[in-house]
């Protein structure tokens, strides 16, 4: 007996994608996450551009992820030219990334994923019965947006952060006002933890999973790092990112897939907790303990739980960053100077959805000669299909509409950003 499930448009995710599944005698014979967003060709657009233009261009890859694309691009440019930034710039960039994490996780957990747990078609329908949950998510999202506005100049496509530092830094008064909002956010995040503790994550995708996340030299829990650490115990410098990602083209998707040693892997909030969770401290550590994420899990639905833990982490860490900035005294310093030379550089940062890589080569005039951008969703695509296949074979006897909904839940649990994932398709290798 054969049957098929075709979802032309996957709702409550960023971008245009669908799902195609074929089942024969209870076995999945075809499982595809069809990413149909139009290809962007950003790497080709960057060729010939002067280095200083590159971060602003790549921030247009995605509005949700514009901040982390900008910072990762600047890290790659600075790596290529050997630019060393100040401690203040490092702290401000960290704060800026935390803002993106807060606003993205709040939006996804409360407006995109939560309707699946509570049995609603979307946030608007859910708001009729649970207005407090939607309000909680939107209030947290606003705090994240405010962090990005204060540090980056605006919530989308930042203008203050530049290669070597900042064109404009926030004042001490602005940071103190922002800190007060973050303290309020900590109370809201605790409510999120309390609510998430009442939900039970589905287990129908639970299967062997490899996680990958960045880790800084000091071993702290962070959204930046110099090493790629896998849950297998293997570690690579970020310059060897291609040894982990091993991208290849699939015919059914405009996004490439990634495999490590022939196996899919997962990046994102859950991966960060599984790889670096022991480094959590303070209220974030307490949240992880409360939500049961202090031991290893292979249940992808805990990615949403991990996002709530990271909401606490990002708010708490942002307050600590501001305290350090204020204690040191905020300075209106100029960006570090750039000395042009031919070279190659790689930057990596943890976007809300997982590791983001930018790698560039420049000529001795500072013009870009080649670019490579690998976004989290393209790394997760193969693992999403792996989890869907597990779900199909465990739930094959369920009615088609029930199975279709659960497959959509699997995709949404990853918080995919399809616009980021379709940066380039190499048709020559298809």
């Amino acid at each position: 007996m054969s049957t098929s499930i075709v979802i032309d448009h996957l709702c409550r995710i960023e971008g245009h994608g669908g799902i195609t599944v074929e089942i024969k005698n209870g076995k999945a014979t075809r499982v595809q996450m069809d990413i149909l967003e139009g290809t962007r060709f950003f790497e080709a657009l960057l060729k010939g551009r002067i280095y200083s233009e590159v971060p602003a261009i790549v921030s247009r890859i995605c509005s949700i992820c514009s901040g982390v694309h900008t910072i990762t691009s600047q890290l790659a440019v600075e790596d290529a030219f050997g630019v060393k930034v100040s401690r203040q710039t490092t702290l401000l960039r960290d704060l800026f990334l935390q803002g993106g994490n807060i606003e993205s996780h709040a939006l996804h957990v409360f407006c995109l994923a939560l309707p699946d747990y509570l049995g609603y078609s979307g946030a608007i329908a859910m708001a009729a019965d649970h207005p407090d949950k939607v309000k909680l998510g939107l209030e947290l999202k606003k705090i994240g947006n405010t962090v990005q506005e204060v540090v980056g100049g605006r919530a989308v496509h930042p203008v203050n952060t530049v290669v070597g530092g900042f064109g404009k830094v926030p004042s001490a008064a602005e940071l103190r006002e922002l800190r007060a909002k973050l303290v309020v956010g900590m109370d809201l995040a605790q409510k999120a933890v309390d609510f998430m503790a009442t939900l039970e994550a589905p287990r129908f995708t639970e299967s062997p999973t490899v996680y990958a996340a960045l880790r800084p030299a000091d071993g702290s829990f962070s959204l930046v790092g110099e090493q790629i650490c896998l849950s297998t115990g293997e570690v690579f410098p970020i310059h060897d990112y291609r040894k982990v990602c091993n991208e290849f083209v699939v015919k059914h998707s405009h996004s490439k897939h990634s495999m490590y040693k022939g196996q899919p892997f997962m990046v994102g909030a859950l991966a960060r907790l599984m790889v670096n969770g022991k480094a959590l401290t303070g209220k974030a550590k307490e949240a992880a303990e409360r939500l049961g994420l202090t031991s290893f899990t292979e249940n992808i639905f805990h990615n949403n739980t991990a996002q709530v833990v990271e909401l606490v982490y990002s708010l708490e860490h942002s307050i600590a960053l501001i305290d350090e900035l204020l204690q040191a005294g905020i300075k209106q310093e100029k960006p570090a100077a750039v000395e042009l030379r031919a070279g190659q550089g790689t930057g990596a940062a943890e976007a809300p959805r997982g590791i983001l890589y930018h790698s560039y080569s420049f000529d001795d005039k500072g013009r870009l000669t080649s670019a490579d951008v690998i976004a989290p969703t393209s790394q997760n695509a193969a693992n999403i299909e792996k989890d869907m296949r597990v779900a199909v074979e465990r739930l094959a006897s369920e009615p088609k509409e029930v199975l279709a909904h659960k497959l959509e839940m699997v995709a949404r649990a990853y918080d995919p950003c399809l616009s980021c994932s379709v940066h380039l398709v190499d048709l020559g290798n298809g």
Side-chain angles (χ1 to χ4, degrees), residues 227-240:
Q227 294 179 324
I228 309 163
C229 298
L230 290 99
S231 54
T232 57
E234 293 152 291
V235 178
F236 298 86
I238 61 169
H239 292 91
D240 288 343

Side-chain angles (χ1 to χ4, degrees), residues 358-394:
H358 282 239
S359 188
Y360 310 136
S361 294
F362 294 94
D363 64 17
D364 59 3
K365 305 296 183 185
R367 294 196 177 277
L368 188 143
T369 56
S370 68
D372 187 26
V373 177
I374 299 182
T377 296
S378 57
Q379 295 170 67
N380 279 334
N383 211 62
I384 294 173
E385 292 187 354
K386 182 266 291 180
D387 283 344
M388 287 183 176
R389 182 176 295 276
V390 171
V392 167
E393 299 198 345
R394 288 178 179 167

Side-chain angles (χ1 to χ4, degrees), residues 22 50 141-142 192 418:
E22 293 179 356
I50 195 74
K141 182 183 187 305
K142 186 177 181 181
L418 305 190

Side-chain angles (χ1 to χ4, degrees), residues 116-136:
D116 285 331
Y117 287 82
L118 299 183
Y120 293 89
S121 59
I124 294 176
M126 187 178 71
D129 297 327
H130 300 279
D132 56 324
K133 305 298 184 301
V134 177
K135 183 181 178 184
L136 175 60

Side-chain angles (χ1 to χ4, degrees), residues 60-82:
R60 270 65 185 178
I61 289 175
C62 175
S63 59
I64 296 175
C65 310
S66 64
V68 69
H69 272 293
T70 301
I71 297 295
T72 308
S73 175
Q74 289 164 354
L75 292 172
V77 172
E78 290 160 0
D79 186 47
F81 296 121

Side-chain angles (χ1 to χ4, degrees), residues 88-271:
Q88 176 174 285
T89 290
T90 299
L91 295 175
L92 285 171
R93 284 179 175 174
D94 194 353
L95 179 59
F96 182 68
L97 292 176
Q98 302 300 337
N101 219 37
I102 294 167
E103 70 89 11
S104 182
H105 283 354
L107 175 67
H108 181 255
V109 171
F110 288 94
C111 296
L112 304 181
L114 191 54
D116 285 331
Y117 287 82
L118 299 183
Y120 293 89
S121 59
I124 294 176
M126 187 178 71
D129 297 327
H130 300 279
D132 56 324
K133 305 298 184 301
V134 177
K135 183 181 178 184
L136 175 60
L138 294 179
E139 286 179 341
L140 283 165
K141 182 183 187 305
K142 186 177 181 181
I143 292 172
N145 284 343
T146 303
V147 173
Q148 293 181 299
E149 289 166 358
V150 170
V151 181
R154 54 191 188 189
V156 178
H157 306 315
V159 292
N160 288 347
T161 176
V162 298
V163 173
F166 281 78
K168 178 179 180 296
V169 301
S171 67
E174 288 174 318
L175 289 177
R176 281 193 287 269
E177 185 177 348
L178 179 59
R179 187 187 190 284
K181 295 181 187 297
L182 291 162
V183 170
V184 173
M186 283 296 294
D187 291 335
L188 297 175
Q190 189 55 53
K191 292 180 181 178
V193 171
D194 293 342
F195 173 67
M196 186 57 79
T198 68
L199 302 179
E200 185 172 352
R203 303 185 65 170
F204 55 80
T205 64
E206 208 163 350
S207 58
T209 301
V210 174
Y211 298 104
L214 296 178
R215 181 180 294 163
D218 64 6
S220 62
F221 194 92
S222 177
L223 299 182
V224 293
E226 300 81 24
Q227 294 179 324
I228 309 163
C229 298
L230 290 99
S231 54
T232 57
E234 293 152 291
V235 178
F236 298 86
I238 61 169
H239 292 91
D240 288 343
Y241 68 98
R242 289 178 181 169
K243 292 181 180 177
V244 176
C245 294
N246 300 295
E247 283 194 308
F248 58 97
V249 174
V250 294
K251 292 182 179 179
H252 61 274
S253 175
H254 290 180
S255 171
K256 293 177 182 176
H257 282 201
S258 292
M259 293 275 197
Y260 174 68
K261 293 185 176 178
Q263 298 296 321
F265 61 92
M266 190 240 175
V267 296
L270 182 59

